[in-house]
Amino acid sequence: MTSKGGGTGFQHYRFRHRALPEIDYAAIDTSTNFVGRAIKVPLMISSMTGGTEEAARINIKLAEAAEKRGWAMGLGSLRAAIEQPATAASYQVRTYAPNVPLIANIGAVQLNYGFGIEQCRRAVELSDADALVLHLNGLQEVFQEGGNSNFGGLLRKIEQLCKVAEFPVGVKEVGWGIDGVTARALKEAGVSFIDVAGSGGTSWSQVEKFRSTNNLSKAAAEAFADWGTPTAQCVVEVSEAATDTYLIASGGLVSGVDAAKAIALGANMASFGRALLAPAVHSEAELNQLLERLELELRIAMFGIGAANLQELHRTNRIVQLRAE
Ligand SMILES: Cc1cc2nc3c(=O)[nH]c(=O)nc-3n(C[C@H](O)[C@H](O)[C@H](O)COP(=O)(O)O)c2cc1C
């Protein structure tokens, strides 16, 4: 997946180093909870794949790594599993990750194309997930040939779903970001968590540019290469606009320092997509090493500012925004 444009925005923030942290590095506590399950770190594997045999292999590797390291995990869109039940097995990773917060995924726009509570329930049940996240991918659907681009009236349908669902319902973007105004509307609609999936990482207009066979769409996608709200800005806006809604930061995160900055700016958890994909395809060892490195960087960043736990890192005053050059 390609990315282009101004980055995640985290490069404009810097931690104020604390030479005398007054805490024991070995005692730093990164444990937290998500959708009713305890996790060792406030880190998550973003929704990516499912539907094919190759996807099943990747999902198993991701699930085993999440279980081993105490991460949360999102599954790729389960639309395929609902429409073609033969593909359902590629999402069934619960036996590999019995303790992991596991999140089922469906495009919110499907609520305008025949999906309702029944299909959402099936997605959660067949993956034995703890929650459902609805993804918002308006531009992607427009650039896709034959995409589902009627996004009218979705907020009300999300609200209705939240009212009847027996499981937590969250909402995420896919790389263009969720701003404060949208977050407030989603909070009022009753969503349990929001994953901003801001710009600076995976750019779906670029992906569709390469995938599309329609020359007009390809040409138009170029103009949207740097579209979207940078992840850091989303986190700041959403944490102010939708206080008390569990906030996940994702979109272009590549290090544990990025994760620490996201939590410092108001997120409860940080999530990684594309950065984990190649290691997950290559080898289990490579994937485990990367997760371990991200955790280490998060803990060192916490030590560097003297934060003994996530409460002390969350909204710390030891992060400063750099002035524009
Ligand atoms: C290969 C790939 C497949 C993805 N598939 C989905 C998906 O099925 N559902 C979804 O909500 N997001 C999907 N995403 C978006 C990610 O969950 C994430 O929001 C986005 O990639 C931003 O994070 P990143 O910049 O770390 O990749 C996908 C991303 C990648 C790279």
Side-chain angles (χ1 to χ4, degrees):
M1 307 299 131
T2 47
S3 67
K4 211 174 163 184
T8 59
F10 289 118
Q11 71 274 25
H12 302 308
Y13 290 88
R14 203 178 165 86
F15 280 116
R16 285 161 60 215
H17 175 67
R18 197 158 170 179
L20 194 58
E22 291 283 28
I23 57 169
D24 176 2
Y25 173 75
I28 288 176
D29 180 8
T30 57
S31 63
T32 185
N33 291 288
F34 180 47
V35 291
R37 286 187 188 260
I39 40 177
K40 289 185 194 150
V41 283
L43 302 175
M44 177 163 168
I45 298 169
S46 293
S47 304
M48 278 189 287
T49 194
T52 63
E53 275 178 34
E54 171 67 359
R57 278 192 291 276
I58 295 172
N59 272 341
I60 290 171
K61 275 193 250 178
L62 292 171
E64 284 178 335
E67 178 71 24
K68 186 169 174 189
R69 309 251 16 121
W71 287 45
M73 175 177 171
L75 294 162
S77 170
L78 278 107
R79 180 180 164 193
I82 305 293
E83 291 176 347
Q84 305 147 41
T87 67
S90 62
Y91 301 90
Q92 287 164 339
V93 296
R94 181 51 96 191
T95 47
Y96 305 93
N99 299 297
V100 163
L102 194 61
I103 315 299
N105 181 300
I106 274 181
V109 76
Q110 295 312 317
L111 299 175
N112 275 350
Y113 290 85
F115 276 39
I117 178 66
E118 202 186 304
Q119 287 74 13
C120 293
R121 239 178 231 143
R122 216 177 318 145
V124 170
E125 279 167 12
L126 71 82
S127 58
D128 200 3
D130 300 297
L132 174 74
V133 71
L134 301 170
H135 67 256
L136 300 174
N137 65 335
L139 266 65
Q140 185 188 8
E141 295 289 348
V142 170
F143 283 115
Q144 246 169 30
E145 272 170 290
N148 295 332
S149 53
N150 175 11
F151 275 65
L154 274 187
L155 183 62
R156 206 174 54 83
K157 291 197 175 167
I158 293 171
E159 187 175 5
Q160 282 167 349
L161 181 67
C162 290
K163 279 202 183 108
V164 294
E166 311 72 22
F167 40 82
V169 176
V171 170
K172 74 187 283 291
E173 238 285 347
V174 298
W176 289 292
I178 291 178
D179 69 344
V181 173
T182 309
R184 197 189 307 266
L186 289 170
K187 179 192 167 169
E188 282 163 12
V191 308
S192 300
F193 59 94
I194 294 174
D195 176 348
V196 298
S199 69
T202 302
S203 164
W204 286 101
S205 63
Q206 291 293 95
V207 175
E208 297 303 339
K209 189 178 112 186
F210 292 114
R211 261 202 318 216
S212 179
T213 48
N214 178 327
N215 284 336
L216 192 60
S217 282
K218 265 183 197 274
E222 183 60 34
F224 292 84
D226 64 355
W227 187 269
T229 312
T231 301
Q233 190 185 328
C234 293
V235 171
V236 170
E237 281 191 28
V238 175
S239 66
E240 281 168 12
T243 25
D244 303 334
T245 302
Y246 196 95
L247 174 55
I248 303 170
S250 78
L253 273 63
V254 292
S255 76
V257 178
D258 285 343
K261 286 182 180 177
I263 294 167
L265 291 175
N268 301 100
M269 184 187 278
S271 190
F272 296 81
R274 184 177 45 158
L276 307 181
L277 198 58
V281 172
H282 291 162
S283 80
E284 248 168 76
E286 210 179 300
L287 177 63
N288 273 292
Q289 215 169 45
L290 175 55
L291 301 197
E292 212 175 329
R293 193 203 84 203
L294 294 168
E295 293 165 25
L296 178 66
E297 290 165 351
L298 170 63
R299 269 200 309 277
I300 297 174
M302 289 173 72
F303 187 59
I305 61 161
N309 53 47
L310 295 174
Q311 291 69 40
E312 289 179 15
L313 174 61
H314 191 241
R315 291 177 168 277
T316 175
N317 61 9
R318 297 207 73 86
I319 190 161
V320 285
Q321 188 169 13
L322 302 173
R323 263 184 271 142
E325 281 140 34

